[in-house]
């Protein structure tokens, strides 16, 4: 865990509030000080230890530089309010820029710095701003810095917002403005609950995980009302309390709670998620500050041992929950399965569980989860595609064709589904339709070597040798190490009698794939037919060094020795081939022919 020097002199702060600021900085550093190596697109809890994936590290880095920017801004006041350091302020703005490059919400640290300056450094009410020129200068620097960063982002990334679908954020697509507002506020209440009680945690909250509130009779409408009652109570205490220390602490806590969350609030632009626990990293600082103040307040008015017991209980519960949740992140299986109980209506959760099961070879269980994903979200084309692939492997071709046809009907540019549909249609002997499906896949994904390979196989079945060779050549151009395409070219040229061209292709392939024993085997067969026995023998032997248990390689090497007149070597490799595969086609007949020839030779010698 990184160490921070928290002993920064904060002018005009009382000892209680200095400790509070130090406590919240230490706590937020502690919360964000964990990392891991799972690769997931979504986030984890804010109170329990974060085990982040590569993607999640952007949020951790943003939180780190957000905190650094705040701490550096605090350091600007080592000489007091009037003798502040412009250099430290510029350094803070630079760290803000780094935080923003990690995640856009990093820019909100400028608002936090401004609030800290007004409330904690200058100890001012909002009405006194006009009388503090030094403060106005610092606020102007923060404003200009923020404006420059926003302009730079606009110049680099443009003004166009990202494209999101209804399943990513259903409330933002509601036509009724009131429904949108009610559901946004319901989302805020769920985020607040995750801060207070991080019990229901899920790696993804989209695709129906949180059903929309569609009427005033929905009991869930109570939660936004309760949230705003609590917020209004805090705001009232922050603005109207007679205790200036209490006002400043609560106001700063609310600033830390609300400002970093604004980019995720849907107020300024549509975001691509319903709930994302990662966006609460920064807001958790404000929550920690308010919680620390509440504990301190209770300890002054209640019996201290009761407050200590309550605080320790809360800490123990969160530690236990953290340990339990960390266990979920030990494997994909446990993480995805844990989400089913939290979000049983989320099609993506069922899809991920199904994919994990399929990757582990449990196709029967995977089918169940894929079917549930499609039932929950009938337009979930990726689930349809994966389910269709499993059904194809189980030879349930009709249903596989129906699913894949539905997928490409819903999303016409889904290249992978088009290719898989072509494979199924090829298996059903619908060759013209299969060719068109392959063509559609290539039309939507220009660089698609596997599709060119499958198209080549279709043309080979149709005896369109030139088209097959062209398709496989395209596959090797797009993917030079496409072993199957190279090997099929050699075999097709061999079968059609183009031995010289087959030899050239085989040798070209081995320059790229020098240890591919299948290409060595095919090339050795071509050279043997051209009576280049010595060279052919070399490729056979090299192939057997890489994979010595291939019966067909021993059998074909035996045929080579048989033709070459090396009958003892031929006998040895025939026997090795039959030992590995007693039912190898043609090998037993060739071996019997060899034995008769050897017997005849012995009689002649005798």
């Amino acid at each position: 865990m990184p160490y921070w020097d928290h002993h920064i002199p904060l002018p005009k702060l009382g000892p209680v509030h200095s400790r509070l600021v130090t406590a919240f900085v230490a706590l937020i550093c502690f919360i964000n000080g964990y990392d891991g190596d799972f690769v997931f697109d979504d986030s984890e809890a804010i109170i329990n230890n974060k085990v982040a994936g590569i993607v999640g590290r952007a949020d951790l880095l943003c939180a780190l530089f957000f905190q650094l920017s705040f701490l550096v801004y605090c350091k600007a006041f080592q000489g007091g309010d009037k003798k502040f350091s412009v250099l430290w302020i510029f350094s803070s703005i630079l760290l803000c820029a780094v935080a923003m490059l990690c995640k856009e919400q990093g820019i909100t640290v400028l608002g936090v710095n401004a609030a800290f300056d007004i409330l904690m450094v200058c100890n001012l009410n909002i009405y006194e701003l006009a009388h503090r020129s030094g403060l106005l200068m610092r606020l102007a620097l923060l404003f200009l810095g923020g404006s420059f960063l926003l302009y730079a982002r606009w110049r680099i990334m443009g003004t166009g917002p990202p494209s999101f679908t209804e399943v990513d954020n259903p409330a933002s697509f509601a036509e009724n403005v009131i429904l949108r507002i009610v559901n946004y506020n319901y989302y805020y209440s769920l985020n607040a609950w995750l801060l207070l009680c991080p019990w229901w945690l899920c790696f993804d909250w989209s695709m129906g995980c949180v059903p929309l509130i569609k009427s005033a009779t929905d009991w869930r409408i109570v939660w936004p009302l309760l949230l705003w009652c609590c917020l209004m109570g805090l705001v009232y205490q922050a603005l109207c309390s007679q205790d200036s220390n209490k006002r400043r602490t609560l106001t700063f806590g609310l600033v830390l709670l609300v400002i970093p969350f604004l980019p995720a609030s849907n107020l300024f632009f549509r975001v691509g998620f319903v709930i994302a626990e990662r966006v609460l990293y920064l807001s958790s600082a404000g929550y920690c500050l308010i919680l620390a103040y509440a504990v301190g307040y209770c300890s002054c008015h209640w019996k201290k041992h009761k407050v200590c017991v309550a605080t320790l209980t809360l800490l123990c519960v969160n530690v236990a929950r953290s340990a339990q949740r960390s266990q979920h992140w030990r494997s994909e299986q446990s993480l995805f399965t844990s989400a089913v109980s939290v979000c049983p209506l989320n099609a993506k959760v069922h899809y991920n569980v199904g994919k994990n099961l399929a990757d582990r070879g449990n196709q029967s269980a995977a089918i169940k989860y894929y079917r549930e994903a499609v039932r929950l979200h009938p337009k979930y084309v990726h689930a349809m595609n994966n389910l269709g692939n499993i059904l194809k492997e189980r030879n349930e071709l009709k249903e596989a064709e129906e699913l894949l046809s539905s997928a490409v009907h819903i999303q016409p540019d889904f290249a992978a589904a088009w290719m898989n549909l072509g494979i199924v249609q090829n298996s059903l002997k619908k060759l013209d339709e299969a060719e068109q499906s392959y063509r559609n896949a290539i039309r939507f994904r220009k660089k698609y070597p596997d599709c060119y390979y499958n198209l080549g196989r279709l043309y080979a079945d149709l005896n369109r040798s030139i088209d097959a060779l062209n398709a496989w050549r395209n596959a090797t151009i797009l993917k030079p190490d496409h072993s199957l395409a190279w090997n099929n070219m050699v075999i097709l040229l061999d079968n059609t009698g183009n031995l010289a061209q087959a030899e050239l292709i085989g040798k070209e392939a081995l320059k790229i794939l020098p240890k591919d024993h299948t290409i060595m085997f095919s090339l050795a067969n071509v050279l043997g037919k051209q009576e280049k026995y010595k060279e052919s023998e070399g490729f056979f032997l090299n192939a057997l060094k890489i994979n010595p248990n291939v019966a067909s390689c021993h059998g074909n090497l035996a045929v080579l020795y048989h033709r070459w007149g090396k009958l003892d070597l031929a006998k040895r490799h025939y026997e090795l081939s039959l030992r590995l595969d007693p039912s190898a086609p043609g090998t037993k007949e060739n071996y019997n022919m060899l034995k008769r020839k050897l017997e005849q030779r012995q009689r002649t010698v005798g």
Side-chain angles (χ1 to χ4, degrees), residues 310-321:
T311 305
L312 286 174
T313 301
L314 177 64
L315 180 62
C316 290
V317 168
N318 278 296
V319 168
R321 176 57 178 149

Side-chain angles (χ1 to χ4, degrees), residues 480-481 486 503-516 519-520 523 539:
D481 60 345
W486 284 114
E503 180 183 350
L504 291 174
I505 294 293
K507 290 180 177 178
E508 182 184 353
L510 286 176
K511 289 179 183 177
I512 299 168
L513 299 164
K515 294 184 179 180
D516 193 307
I519 296 174
M520 290 179 187
L523 178 58
F539 283 113

